[in-house]
Amino acid sequence: MIGASASGWDVRPPPARVFDEVMADVLNSVYGLSDGVPVARLQETVWLACREYLMLDDGPQNPQRRKVDDDLVAALETLAELGAVELSHGVADAFYLSDLGDDDEEQPLPPEARARLRAVLTEPGLLVSLTPLGLRGVRERMLAEGRDAPLVGELAEAAPGELLGVLAEHYPPEEAATELAGWLAAHGGDVEPLLDAIRACPFRTRASVMLSTLVEARPDGRSLLARLRGDRVLGPIAVTLLHDVGAVGPDDLSSSEQLLLMTEGLLNLLELAGPEEVVTQLGQMAGREAPQIIEAVAQSGHPAMIGMDELRRLVAEPLRARSHTLRFVEGPRPGARGRRSGHGKKRRR
């Protein structure tokens, strides 16, 4: 029995009490990651779960820590005998080191665990992958639990727009990259059909998500964005994404790119929040100059014809109407009495 003591008296020692739950999470993690997951990394997350659940002390020399590590390996060896996983020996992919920097605030592993992994993962070690049997079993369990469990490879024949939409909504980053690589391999490696699908999308927010998904799933994503900066249709989205990640700043943009960047932001705001919010934001940002800014935006040459038409009708025209001061014709003001000179005869009492 995994987790049983050597004497047999302690049938369920502390680490074994949480192994049923932990192993499900381990297999879920392996399902969502690239092949050849380093077991050392899984051991760190399993130990972290045991510590939090059982209030155990940390430290690689802790006998309970060694027991947890050994039990995980024993569990994986049992699954390998059953044909659910495949174990191998080698150096882990550099991907598994990429998020272990001390400046990564979103990394749940504590600094000491990251330091251990940075040392261990540069050397050959035990790696684990799910077999087709294991993939099917884990996927069926996840679907039964109501969880999204995309099967890598099932989108190989999907239409370009469908592929990017499903990747954006249902695939974690690692699986998205694998699925995209499979799709490109099945379509001659040509990325243009995917870009054409984004160009054809009438909704700016969705087009932005699609392009962001494509960029994040490709190792040359940043250079792809830089190339698209001059694209007539995708240029405004590419500039926005480059600006959002800090790859370009205001001084790096031409005046036309700065105007397109502002226009793209207003189009996204119009889609998400409606014209009233756009007018409010413009007023807060530009005050009395809001009508002039929206006029410049309307003449920016942004390629989103549907969005620009709505921006002109729902935002620019109302702002233009508000900016026109009401003028009265010559003559007495409405409601005024008496002569214009104000020196008429006094009424007799």
Side-chain angles (χ1 to χ4, degrees), residues 39 106 110 166 183 208 215 233 254 285 323 336 344:
V39 174
E106 297 183 0
V166 174
W183 190 94
S208 179
V215 167
V233 178
S254 65
M285 176 180 66
S323 67

Side-chain angles (χ1 to χ4, degrees), residues 59-94:
Q61 304 304 317
N62 187 321
Q64 290 180 317
R65 167 64 196 264
R66 293 197 299 273
K67 179 62 177 172
V68 168
D69 288 350
D70 292 345
D71 280 355
L72 178 59
V73 172
L76 293 174
E77 289 175 343
T78 300
L79 291 173
E81 292 176 2
L82 296 173
V85 304
E86 179 180 350
L87 297 176
S88 59
H89 197 76
V91 178
D93 190 279

Side-chain angles (χ1 to χ4, degrees), residues 30 45-46 56 97 103 126 131 139 181 191 213 250 280 294 323 326:
V30 177
T45 57
V46 169
L56 300 176
L97 276 165
D103 57 344
L126 189 63
T131 64
R139 184 169 188 261
V191 74
T213 299
T280 299
I294 199 64
S323 67
L326 182 62

Side-chain angles (χ1 to χ4, degrees), residues 29 73 78 81 132 135 138 165-166 176 183 187-188 201 205 212 214 218 251 253 297:
S29 298
V73 172
T78 300
E81 292 176 2
L135 282 169
V138 173
V166 174
W183 190 94
H187 293 79
C201 181
T205 50
S212 178
L214 175 61
R218 288 179 60 87
D251 295 339
L253 302 177
V297 165

Side-chain angles (χ1 to χ4, degrees), residues 7-78:
S7 65
W9 288 102
D10 189 8
V11 178
R12 296 280 287 176
R17 298 174 196 167
V18 295
F19 246 69
D20 290 343
E21 298 178 15
V22 167
M23 282 307 300
D25 290 337
V26 166
L27 295 176
N28 292 347
S29 298
V30 177
Y31 182 93
L33 295 171
S34 304
D35 284 348
V37 180
V39 174
R41 179 131 190 185
L42 297 174
Q43 287 172 327
E44 289 289 352
T45 57
V46 169
W47 173 242
L48 184 62
C50 290
R51 279 182 55 203
E52 293 178 352
Y53 184 82
L54 301 169
M55 304 297 290
L56 300 176
D57 294 329
D58 192 15
Q61 304 304 317
N62 187 321
Q64 290 180 317
R65 167 64 196 264
R66 293 197 299 273
K67 179 62 177 172
V68 168
D69 288 350
D70 292 345
D71 280 355
L72 178 59
V73 172
L76 293 174
E77 289 175 343
T78 300

